[in-house]
């Protein structure tokens, strides 16, 4: 059985990744809403903020998992590999960050 401290880290990783997923889903709906509500030439600032918060959540979750990997290793990882989900999380971080920056630059056109 995992220790209380290790369970807390796992729950923090899970919560941050779930929050990032929820923020990305909300971001899609906010973007579509802003497509119809913004005036011509305005920027998608609110959409960018949500996307950057999602990127922050992904980074926090991947960082916690990286820092606390040793405490998970005995119970979950016998072969010493991080796994594809770990790599996918670190690939998702720069992609969501770049997407958020693109929303900051993006202007509504006619």
């Amino acid at each position: 059985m995992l220790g209380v401290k290790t369970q807390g880290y796992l729950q923090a990783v899970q919560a941050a990744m779930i929050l990032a997923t929820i923020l990305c889903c909300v971001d899609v709906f906010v973007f579509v809403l802003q497509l119809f509500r913004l005036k011509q030439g305005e920027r998608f600032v609110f959409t960018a903020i949500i996307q950057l918060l999602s990127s922050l959540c992904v980074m926090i979750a991947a960082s916690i998992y990286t820092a606390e990997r040793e405490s998970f290793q005995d119970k979950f990882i016998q072969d010493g590999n991080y796994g594809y989900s770990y790599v996918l999380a670190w690939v998702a971080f720069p992609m969501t960050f770049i997407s958020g920056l693109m929303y900051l630059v993006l202007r509504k056109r006619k």
Side-chain angles (χ1 to χ4, degrees):
M1 181 157 189
L2 293 174
V4 175
K5 188 176 179 182
T6 303
Q7 285 179 346
Y9 287 130
L10 276 176
Q11 289 175 348
V13 170
Q14 291 170 348
M17 289 305 283
I18 289 170
L19 183 60
T21 303
I22 290 170
L23 284 172
C24 281
C25 292
V26 168
D27 189 53
V28 169
F29 292 118
V30 170
F31 176 71
V32 171
L33 184 70
Q34 283 187 333
L35 275 177
F36 297 107
R37 297 287 180 174
L38 286 179
K39 298 176 186 172
Q40 183 178 357
E42 290 185 10
R43 295 181 188 260
F44 295 92
V45 176
F46 189 60
T47 304
I49 291 170
I50 295 173
Q51 191 71 13
L52 290 172
L53 285 174
S54 175
S55 174
L56 180 67
C57 288
V58 171
M59 183 191 66
I60 289 170
S63 297
I64 291 172
Y65 188 83
T66 302
E68 296 300 322
R69 180 178 178 270
E70 296 299 321
S71 63
F72 307 144
Q73 188 172 10
D74 295 337
K75 303 294 181 188
F76 299 116
I77 305 171
Q78 280 77 26
D79 60 355
N81 293 331
Y82 277 103
Y84 67 91
S85 296
Y86 176 78
V87 174
L88 186 62
W90 279 115
V91 168
F93 164 64
M95 294 185 82
T96 55
F97 185 74
I98 290 169
S99 174
L101 292 179
M102 287 174 53
Y103 280 134
L104 279 176
V105 175
L106 187 65
R107 290 180 184 262
K108 183 175 178 185
R109 296 182 183 216
K110 191 172 184 179

